[in-house]
Amino acid sequence: MVLLYFIAAFAVIVPAVVGPLLAYGPGRRLARGRLAAKTRESVAGLVVTLGRPMTALVFVLFWAAAVIAVFWPVGILAHRLENVVDWPVLLWVTDRRSPGFEDFNWWYTTLGDRDPLKIVVVVAAVLFAPFWRKRFWIPLVAILLSFPLEQYVQAILAGMVNRGHPPTGLGSYPSGGIARVVMTFGAIALFVALTWKMGRRWHVLLGTVVLIMATYEGYSRIYTQKHWLTDVISGLVFGPALFLGYALAVGILVGRYPRPTPAPTPAAATEAMAAPAAEPVATANAS
């Protein structure tokens, strides 16, 4: 029983440490890498051809399809590990739960349920809309769409893998509760960052808070035995992966991604026009 308390503490401490490390380490290198540069070039070309709203839609649909293609075989692997990993963990947790701590985890795990998050999504969309003035429709559309995007992508994966659920719960692969927490509160954090000017540290802090919420949601789903362990581990990767595509699509829609090339100033344009003419004059004087 005591070990379950330590695991709960690690479910908070680990993402609190790993979140900033990923943001300032691999995350920054990935954003500056060749793949990211090629992606920006491709998206920029689509923006010129299709416009930002249509490009954002095409991008998020492509990303969702890619996520499904990646997590389908992962789900098949998770199903094969059920007897080796999931059942032993389920039985181990069953023998060590305590009534008081179980009540807390049953309360917390409702954070990832559909009904309360539907309310959160609607309230967030309505609250952000006035801050965007003439572009009020962007948070209304983007935040509201975060919910069905997660729901349908997760439902497609659950149907393709069809691995069933624990006898003590109805959770399917991958954990939709974790993914909903990431998508819903990640969308709110994203629009906080887009609405108000904030430094990178604040962006990392917001992302870390969402990661902690999602990780403990995963722990609570295991403790209350609503999900297999492999469902939870997959959900902790699936949720952020899907959110990354959603965040980039929102960035495309609002004009933050790819960043537009600044127009040259009048002085710079004048210098650029005059520079080619200077060389022939110097050559003529030399001759």
Side-chain angles (χ1 to χ4, degrees), residues 109 111-113 117 150 154 172 174-186 210-222 227-240 243:
T109 201
L111 182 67
D113 290 349
L117 287 183
E150 184 284 326
Q154 192 266 341
S172 59
S175 174
I178 297 173
R180 283 189 291 272
V181 168
V182 173
M183 289 295 293
T184 301
F185 294 100
V210 174
L211 183 60
I212 293 171
M213 294 172 65
T215 304
Y216 197 86
E217 174 69 17
Y219 175 84
S220 69
R221 295 270 159 164
I222 295 174
H227 273 289
W228 297 116
L229 173 64
T230 51
D231 291 341
V232 169
I233 294 174
S234 301
L236 287 172
V237 183
F238 165 74
F243 175 76

Side-chain angles (χ1 to χ4, degrees), residues 19-120:
L21 291 178
L22 289 176
Y24 287 110
R28 179 175 290 182
R29 289 195 295 270
L30 182 63
R32 296 175 178 177
R34 182 177 298 178
L35 178 61
K38 292 294 183 182
T39 302
R40 284 193 294 269
E41 291 177 6
S42 301
V43 172
L46 285 174
V47 169
V48 173
T49 305
L50 303 177
R52 287 194 173 274
M54 185 57 66
T55 300
L57 178 60
V58 170
F59 184 86
V60 77
L61 292 177
F62 165 78
W63 194 278
V67 168
I68 292 171
V70 170
F71 282 87
W72 181 15
V74 174
I76 295 174
L77 174 62
H79 185 41
R80 292 180 178 177
L81 293 175
E82 186 174 309
N83 293 330
V84 179
V85 175
D86 293 320
W87 270 106
V89 171
L90 180 73
L91 297 175
W92 185 83
V93 172
T94 301
D95 295 336
R96 288 164 176 80
R97 291 189 300 176
S98 63
F101 197 40
E102 185 172 348
D103 290 341
F104 170 76
N105 281 283
W106 272 108
W107 168 80
Y108 186 89
T109 201
T110 58
L111 182 67
D113 290 349
R114 289 186 176 89
D115 290 340
L117 287 183
K118 287 178 183 177
I119 299 173
V120 172

